[in-house]
Amino acid sequence: MVKTINQRKQIVVAFLFFFAFSISAFAQKTIKGTVLDESGMPLPGASVSIKGTTKGTSTNFDGEFSLTVSENAKTLIIAYLGYKTKEVAITTSPIKVTILPEENSLDEIIVVGYGTRKRSDLVGAVAKADLSKATATPTSDVTEMLRGRVSGLQVDVGGGSLRPGGTSEILLRGRSSIEGNVSGIYVVDGIIREGGIEDINPDDIESIEVLKDASAQAIYGAKGSNGVILITTKRGGNNKVNVSYHGFLTTKTLERNFDVYSGQEFAQLRREAVRSTNANDEYPNDADIFSAIELNAINNNEFVDWEEELVAPGIVNSHSLSIVGGTEMTKVYGSISYFNEEGIIPSSNYTRKNLRLNVDQKITDKISARFDINILNDLSERAANVNVITTSPLGRAYNDDGTITRFPSGEDGTAINPLWNLREQDHDEKGNDFVVNFIPTYQITDDLKYQLTTSLTRKTSERGQYQSSLSSAGDSDRGIARIDNQLREAFFIENILTYNKEFNPDNIFNLTLVQTMDENKFTQTFTEGRGFPNESLGYDGITNAIGGVDVFRNKTKTRNLSYMARARYDFLNKYQIVGTVRRDGSSVNAADFKWTTNPAIGLSWKAHNEEFIQNLEKIQELKLRVTYGSLINSLSTPYTSLFTAEGQNYIFDGQSASGYSPSVILPNPSLEHERITTLNIGLDFSVFDRFLSGSIEYYDQVTSNLLLRRGVPSTTGYQFTFFNAGEAKNSGLELSLTANLINNDDFRWSVSTIWSNNKNELLSLYNDGEGNAILEDDAYNYYVGQPTNVLRQYQFDGIWQEGDDFANAPQANPDSALTQTDLRPGDIKIRDTNGVDADGNLTGVPDGKITQEDRVFTDPNPDWFASFSSTMQYKGFDLFLDFYAVEGATKVNPFLSDFNNGGTISGKLNGVKVPYYTPENPSTTFPRANFDAAPQYLNSLAIKDASYLRLRTVSLGYTLPDALTTKLQLDQIKVYITGTNLFTNTDYIGYSPEVNIRSTFSNADTGYPDATAFTFGVKVKL
């Protein structure tokens, strides 16, 4: 009986177990999904497993997986070598998972020129810009994106840089030359670019690296001695087709930190200016100094706010669409983009259209080829000569019928209405750029590879300008038309042989041999016509000019031939040595100096791989780098050493004739090139489980055989000549730091700073005929012991006041350079800083007179410049803040000294409002107004501190959840809002501490106001 019961129990238990197993087997489901990397690309071979079990699978070639799981399974574990393991809740299939790489910057791939390297293997000073931060600034100028992103790199926003379509230049580690080239070069996808990178769409860029020391730059020889910007564009992938869209809309408003004189304030300024010219110091009658219209405006408080009339919010509209995909044999990246900006000054607009196609084709197992094409079409409309500061507010902008009045003050000969000039002038520039690269590669053996790089660049531009007979510039000529046609052509051919041999993990050798040929042609035809009976065609009617047509033709050609060898050796993954030598031949150089040699060497020590440091858990990286090299700074202007002549028309025997006369430059057939020798010491580190990482760089750079100017006697028919002499030095310290404060799946927060300083000094000049050292050349601003771009000016010492001792003032001394016998209260006081003994030597002691020896030196270069940024990510949100600071910079402010910018306080032009001196309100900072003449020594007052701190960028973004994008059958949707130039703290008076606005009466593109901008953007990937 008991046995029967036990048998029944066993049967019941077995049945229950089978039933439970059956239910379990029945209650299973299949989960499908895709694993993506941080850029949204599929990740093949990733491990997908069920948490708490050994059951799992791997993703296929397209990053897709399929896995059968039970109903009780809650979590998947996604793992991939080099990436953070991620746990994902099992939800509705399909699941899309994005995993992030491990925070190991040592494995980051860096482009170094003629190849790539892991960051841990770098020897030279090579910095990689953080593109996520760089592209946070909405701009068409790629160079401007680099501001504050790389230590040691300054972005020089010269005249016109801030206008729509404007471009800027880079200045790396200070000014290495006085009269020679100081700008770095751009290398795009391995091709040295001539004439800028205006055709690059920021959305097409994959990475940007900067070569900063001689060891890194030597591969580009003479061209790369002032720095190299390596730009790599995006390429196709071996995956399904992905389409990406990025569009944004930006509004811009004028940014300024000053006020101009209001109508009543300007009227009082003129009264004070005229009063100061009266012997009895009495105010003039208003009727004597104001026109009827001006008096009407003053009496009725009806004034013109020219800023309100002439400045409007700017709008930027940008759209970029790209397609990436391919197979194992063919990979394609293509993009089209449209960028349009309407400037804050009317008639200043820029439109750019880009087309890019990058194709990688694998032909056989050993032969492949790359084909790239980039096409640009752009149009710039430049503002006419508009200045919202200096035009008098007294008067009216429009007639009673609403039409624009020509003379706001109602008198012929006074300033013309800026609105009138806007209507009566056109200034357009059209450009077409075409760049095509063809790069085949042959993998000869596993270790040996040959690459042929070929490139053709063709850039055309046409600038047309018309100033009608009603404009302020063209009224006396019955209209002026100008057309400037330019053509730039560049041909580039390069042969590269690369040998990589890993004898064993402890011995790795690399050799790169390069032979390069290039030719650059520039052709310009400038035509100017004056006098037009019919002006309806504008500059298109230039052939109808009856006042004469002048044609200027300019054509230059440069050719270069180079050979380069670079060898690397890595021993024990601890010690590295890199040696580079490049031999450059250039047609620009003088006949006896065609060829130059550029050698460099670099050593590095990976201390973190030593056993005594590997045991220190708090140190993840510690690497010391030392490099030394001597590079040529190539001459930037062709024919500098040759005799050149210029066409001249003249009258002979009553007949017009044409001939040639020598140029103003006396040729120097012995003219050589400068040599820049650089020592660089760098330290890379990462500590506390990569909580803090960064690098420190120190450099000492000496430029010898400087290219200088020297005046020649006018009897020769020349003005000056170029020659070689002297030395200049740049030295500095650079610091890059990043701290990962919080780093988990939900919240990530990092802060970083990039800090740089540079000291520039002219070490020596040349000797006189007796072997004595010349310490200064005042004609060309060369001063030994001072920066190469030093300011030398009399020192402002306040304003003379009632009761001061005028009779004994140094400025009133008859022996002074500019004796002021009529010195009076309200004049500028100059400090007597120096004296001269009987032998002509400086004493450093005041001598009671103001002479040129009393001028003081001011270094215009900043003491340091830096960026400070914070990046936070919480689930789908990301917040980026970026500050940029410049400390110790000095500029000459034309708003305080230049008549054309209203700086002379004469009451003739409006200007920046300053507390000028009056007998009733005796200012100690600004002189008395004077209608007849500018205050003496006014330039001394204009040297001002241009330091500033700017909240450059605040960007808030949100990426929609995967569950929502999956339903929409999209990979990613991100929206963001960005504020740019939100706040600037500076004592410098002007639209920007970086650049001064255009001169009032100048036709040149000498400046454009800075702006505060707000951007709304969206990024979509499918």
Side-chain angles (χ1 to χ4, degrees):
M1 184 69 175
V2 175
K3 182 177 180 180
T4 302
I5 293 174
N6 288 337
Q7 288 177 341
R8 290 176 180 175
K9 286 182 178 180
Q10 291 174 359
I11 293 173
V12 171
V13 170
F15 176 79
L16 291 175
F17 178 80
F18 176 78
F19 181 74
F21 178 79
S22 299
I23 293 178
S24 176
F26 179 77
Q28 287 184 332
K29 58 184 178 180
T30 299
I31 296 296
K32 295 183 179 181
T34 306
V35 178
L36 307 174
D37 65 11
E38 73 280 9
S39 63
M41 301 298 290
L43 202 60
S47 170
V48 182
S49 61
I50 304 171
K51 186 176 182 180
T53 73
T54 58
K55 186 176 182 180
T57 185
S58 298
T59 57
N60 63 15
F61 194 74
D62 294 321
E64 299 170 344
F65 67 88
S66 177
L67 181 64
T68 301
V69 301
S70 68
E71 287 288 352
N72 296 326
K74 302 296 183 183
T75 306
L76 293 179
I77 297 178
I78 314 296
Y80 190 79
L81 183 63
Y83 283 74
K84 290 183 177 180
T85 300
K86 187 171 185 178
E87 294 187 4
V88 180
I90 297 176
T91 57
T92 304
S93 181
I95 299 173
K96 184 169 63 177
V97 184
T98 299
I99 60 176
L100 300 174
E102 291 282 358
E103 297 295 334
N104 185 1
S105 60
L106 298 180
D107 294 329
E108 183 181 17
I109 300 300
I110 306 292
V111 178
V112 295
Y114 302 114
T116 60
R117 286 288 178 273
K118 289 183 179 180
R119 198 182 73 82
S120 59
D121 293 335
L122 292 179
V123 176
V126 182
K128 184 170 185 175
D130 189 333
L131 273 186
S132 64
K133 296 179 180 179
T135 54
T137 302
T139 177
S140 63
D141 183 11
V142 173
T143 303
E144 172 61 24
M145 290 166 42
L146 295 178
R147 181 191 302 273
R149 307 302 171 217
V150 176
S151 62
L153 187 145
Q154 293 173 268
V155 178
D156 184 11
V157 284
S161 296
L162 300 176
R163 65 172 174 81
T167 58
S168 46
E169 293 185 347
I170 58 171
L171 185 65
L172 187 65
R173 293 184 166 182
R175 298 181 180 275
S176 58
S177 179
I178 299 178
E179 303 291 349
N181 182 39
V182 297
S183 298
I185 63 168
Y186 298 92
V187 179
V188 181
D189 292 329
I191 311 297
I192 297 176
R193 300 294 296 274
E194 301 290 341
I197 53 171
E198 296 85 357
D199 60 324
I200 303 295
N201 173 21
D203 283 317
D204 289 339
I205 297 176
E206 180 69 26
S207 68
I208 300 178
E209 282 84 6
V210 181
L211 311 184
K212 300 195 292 182
D213 69 341
S215 178
Q217 298 163 356
I219 57 174
Y220 295 107
K223 290 186 176 182
S225 58
N226 288 295
V228 181
I229 308 296
L230 301 175
I231 298 177
T232 304
T233 60
K234 296 176 180 177
R235 311 206 66 81
N238 188 6
N239 56 281
K240 67 176 184 179
V241 175
N242 289 102
V243 179
S244 298
Y245 167 79
H246 178 204
F248 63 83
L249 181 69
T250 301
T251 61
K252 291 187 173 184
T253 55
L254 187 68
E255 181 189 27
R256 63 179 176 87
N257 63 350
F258 61 89
D259 293 319
V260 297
Y261 295 101
S262 66
Q264 294 292 358
E265 290 170 339
F266 180 69
Q268 186 61 25
L269 171 63
R270 183 176 294 177
R271 296 187 188 105
E272 291 290 349
V274 177
R275 172 195 182 189
S276 69
T277 65
N278 295 334
N280 57 9
D281 208 26
E282 293 183 354
Y283 284 111
N285 294 322
D286 279 2
D288 295 331
I289 62 173
F290 297 109
S291 68
I293 290 182
E294 288 176 325
L295 286 173
N296 181 70
I298 294 171
N299 294 331
N300 295 291
N301 281 318
E302 295 177 351
F303 307 111
V304 182
D305 186 338
W306 290 108
E307 184 175 304
E308 182 176 332
E309 296 290 344
L310 291 166
V311 179
I315 300 293
V316 179
N317 189 16
S318 177
H319 304 275
S320 182
L321 183 69
S322 65
I323 301 176
V324 59
T327 66
E328 185 178 355
M329 300 297 291
T330 305
K331 299 177 177 64
V332 179
Y333 173 84
S335 72
I336 56 173
S337 64
Y338 172 84
F339 181 95
N340 175 260
E341 179 176 357
E342 298 178 10
I344 58 178
I345 293 181
S347 76
S348 61
N349 303 304
Y350 177 68
T351 301
R352 183 185 71 187
K353 289 164 278 188
N354 277 87
L355 170 66
R356 172 174 289 276
L357 179 65
N358 293 349
V359 179
D360 294 87
Q361 178 66 50
K362 185 177 180 181
I363 301 172
T364 69
D365 289 340
K366 292 191 173 184
I367 301 176
S368 60
R370 197 181 89 197
F371 176 80
D372 304 337
I373 185 170
N374 189 43
I375 300 174
L376 165 76
N377 174 268
D378 65 354
L379 170 64
S380 296
E381 298 177 66
R382 305 193 180 195
N385 188 17
V386 174
N387 191 302
V388 300
I389 295 177
T390 62
T391 306
S392 168
L394 308 180
R396 51 194 305 189
Y398 301 94
N399 297 311
D400 292 336
D401 60 1
T403 59
I404 299 173
T405 180
R406 185 174 186 182
F407 299 103
S409 298
E411 294 183 358
D412 291 348
T414 61
I416 290 181
N417 190 334
L419 294 169
W420 184 282
N421 274 336
L422 277 178
R423 187 188 67 187
E424 298 298 330
Q425 297 187 37
D426 290 316
H427 192 175
D428 308 323
E429 183 175 5
K430 305 171 186 177
N432 288 283
D433 295 358
F434 176 84
V435 181
V436 58
N437 305 329
F438 178 63
I439 306 175
T441 301
Y442 176 38
Q443 191 73 44
I444 302 172
T445 68
D446 291 341
D447 304 322
L448 186 63
K449 182 176 70 174
Y450 167 74
Q451 176 178 298
L452 172 65
T453 301
T454 63
S455 177
L456 167 66
T457 300
R458 183 181 175 87
K459 297 186 176 184
T460 62
S461 69
E462 178 186 88
R463 180 183 296 185
Q465 183 180 15
Y466 189 74
Q467 298 165 316
S468 81
S469 59
L470 298 178
S471 68
S472 57
D475 58 352
S476 61
D477 294 287
R478 297 181 64 188
I480 303 173
R482 300 183 180 95
I483 296 180
D484 186 0
N485 292 101
Q486 296 184 11
L487 170 63
R488 298 178 186 273
E489 296 175 288
F491 307 92
F492 183 89
I493 298 176
E494 191 168 61
N495 296 281
I496 307 171
L497 195 63
T498 304
Y499 178 71
N500 285 294
K501 182 64 175 178
E502 183 176 336
F503 299 99
N504 54 59
D506 292 336
N507 292 271
I508 301 175
F509 177 73
N510 169 266
L511 177 65
T512 302
L513 302 176
V514 177
Q515 185 265 336
T516 302
M517 297 174 288
D518 67 78
E519 179 180 271
N520 294 277
K521 297 179 181 179
F522 172 74
T523 306
Q524 178 187 24
T525 303
F526 178 79
T527 308
E528 181 178 87
R530 295 174 182 265
F532 295 89
N534 185 343
E535 301 186 79
S536 60
L537 294 177
Y539 56 78
D540 289 327
I542 194 170
T543 55
N544 300 324
I546 59 177
V549 176
D550 295 321
V551 179
F552 169 80
R553 179 71 170 176
N554 181 29
K555 189 172 184 178
T556 63
K557 180 170 65 175
T558 62
R559 291 177 174 176
N560 301 281
L561 177 63
S562 303
Y563 302 91
M564 191 275 290
R566 178 181 63 191
R568 301 171 179 266
Y569 179 61
D570 188 326
F571 180 59
L572 297 177
N573 197 24
K574 299 177 185 178
Y575 316 106
Q576 284 185 311
I577 181 170
V578 177
T580 307
V581 61
R582 178 158 173 150
R583 183 81 169 153
D584 290 317
S586 176
S587 63
V588 174
N589 301 338
D592 295 333
F593 307 98
K594 291 295 185 185
W595 287 90
T596 62
T597 303
N598 303 272
I601 190 170
L603 303 169
S604 73
W605 173 40
K606 297 181 183 179
H608 58 272
N609 285 341
E610 300 286 358
E611 292 185 3
F612 63 90
I613 291 183
Q614 285 182 327
N615 295 328
L616 301 177
E617 296 181 356
K618 294 184 178 181
I619 297 178
Q620 284 70 54
E621 179 188 14
L622 188 63
K623 183 173 69 172
L624 178 65
R625 297 176 283 105
V626 179
T627 65
Y628 183 82
S630 182
L631 309 182
I632 290 299
N633 187 25
S634 60
L635 302 178
S636 56
T637 305
Y639 319 129
T640 310
S641 64
L642 301 178
F643 173 87
T644 57
E646 298 176 352
Q648 297 288 340
N649 297 328
Y650 61 94
I651 304 296
F652 180 76
D653 195 21
Q655 299 293 323
S656 297
S658 179
Y660 289 88
S661 65
S663 68
V664 299
I665 305 175
L666 176 66
N668 180 4
S670 299
L671 193 65
E672 298 183 50
H673 18 255
E674 302 168 316
R675 182 169 288 278
I676 303 175
T677 303
T678 305
L679 169 68
N680 190 95
I681 301 174
L683 180 67
D684 303 325
F685 59 89
S686 181
V687 295
F688 307 119
D689 291 328
R690 309 196 185 283
F691 174 83
L692 181 66
S693 61
S695 64
I696 301 173
E697 305 276 354
Y698 169 78
Y699 62 91
D700 187 280
Q701 175 181 285
V702 175
T703 305
S704 57
N705 217 28
L706 282 169
L707 181 66
L708 302 174
R709 294 190 189 200
R710 176 185 287 168
V712 298
S714 58
T715 55
T716 64
Y718 298 97
Q719 294 181 6
F720 63 90
T721 186
F722 286 107
F723 71 109
N724 299 103
E727 291 186 341
K729 178 180 179 180
N730 280 287
S731 60
L733 192 67
E734 301 167 356
L735 176 65
S736 301
L737 281 178
T738 297
N740 296 301
L741 304 180
I742 301 175
N743 191 358
N744 55 51
D745 289 340
D746 288 335
F747 185 55
R748 305 175 73 188
W749 180 24
S750 66
V751 295
S752 63
T753 181
I754 293 176
W755 183 95
S756 312
N757 82 328
N758 173 268
K759 183 179 180 182
N760 176 268
E761 181 183 359
L762 182 60
L763 299 179
S764 65
L765 280 171
Y766 45 87
N767 296 332
D768 61 14
E770 299 178 357
N772 301 312
I774 299 296
L775 299 181
E776 65 178 52
D777 185 335
D778 210 38
Y780 295 103
N781 211 45
Y782 306 153
Y783 304 102
V784 173
Q786 299 296 331
T788 56
N789 59 337
V790 68
L791 303 175
R792 193 180 191 187
Q793 187 55 265
Y794 293 104
Q795 188 171 1
F796 177 75
D797 197 28
I799 303 298
W800 289 99
Q801 304 290 322
E802 288 282 354
D804 287 345
D805 186 2
F806 298 107
N808 295 314
Q811 290 165 248
N813 191 320
D815 294 328
S816 291
L818 297 171
T819 304
Q820 292 180 270
T821 56
D822 58 348
L823 200 63
R824 63 174 182 168
D827 286 344
I828 293 175
K829 182 186 293 186
I830 295 300
R831 179 168 296 179
D832 180 13
T833 64
N834 216 331
V836 181
D837 61 21
D839 297 326
N841 299 315
L842 297 177
T843 64
V845 179
D847 60 356
K849 57 186 176 181
I850 301 298
T851 62
Q852 293 218 5
E853 287 73 21
D854 291 304
R855 294 175 300 164
V856 297
F857 293 106
T858 302
D859 184 356
N861 303 302
D863 296 332
W864 55 265
F865 55 95
S867 66
F868 310 90
S869 62
S870 170
T871 303
M872 288 179 280
Q873 296 175 329
Y874 177 70
K875 294 186 176 180
F877 291 93
D878 58 86
L879 177 64
F880 174 64
L881 291 90
D882 178 45
F883 292 87
Y884 188 75
V886 175
E887 178 59 35
T890 306
K891 293 173 67 73
V892 177
N893 193 334
F895 288 147
L896 305 180
S897 62
D898 186 3
F899 173 80
N900 288 345
N901 283 284
T904 55
I905 325 179
S906 65
K908 298 175 182 177
L909 300 178
N910 202 358
V912 172
K913 185 167 68 175
V914 297
Y916 57 88
Y917 179 98
T918 67
E920 294 76 20
N921 294 289
S923 171
T924 60
T925 54
F926 287 91
R928 190 173 186 181
N930 190 304
F931 192 78
D932 292 341
Q936 190 68 267
Y937 298 110
L938 187 59
N939 286 341
S940 67
L941 182 146
I943 298 179
K944 296 297 183 181
D945 181 17
S947 305
Y948 68 93
L949 172 65
R950 170 173 286 173
L951 177 54
R952 186 186 179 205
T953 308
V954 176
S955 184
L956 176 64
Y958 177 66
T959 302
L960 273 63
D962 290 345
L964 179 58
T965 55
T966 300
K967 290 182 180 179
L968 298 174
Q969 296 183 338
L970 298 173
D971 287 344
Q972 184 189 59
I973 300 179
K974 178 181 179 179
V975 294
Y976 65 90
I977 183 169
T978 299
T980 308
N981 293 348
L982 298 179
F983 167 78
T984 303
N985 181 20
T986 181
D987 293 331
Y988 188 81
I989 298 174
Y991 285 112
S992 171
E994 288 285 338
V995 63
N996 292 315
I997 196 171
R998 63 177 63 241
S999 175
T1000 305
F1001 301 124
S1002 171
N1003 291 321
D1005 193 10
T1006 56
Y1008 197 90
D1010 212 342
T1012 296
F1014 290 93
T1015 300
F1016 174 77
V1018 59
K1019 296 181 179 181
V1020 179
K1021 185 180 295 184
L1022 53 89

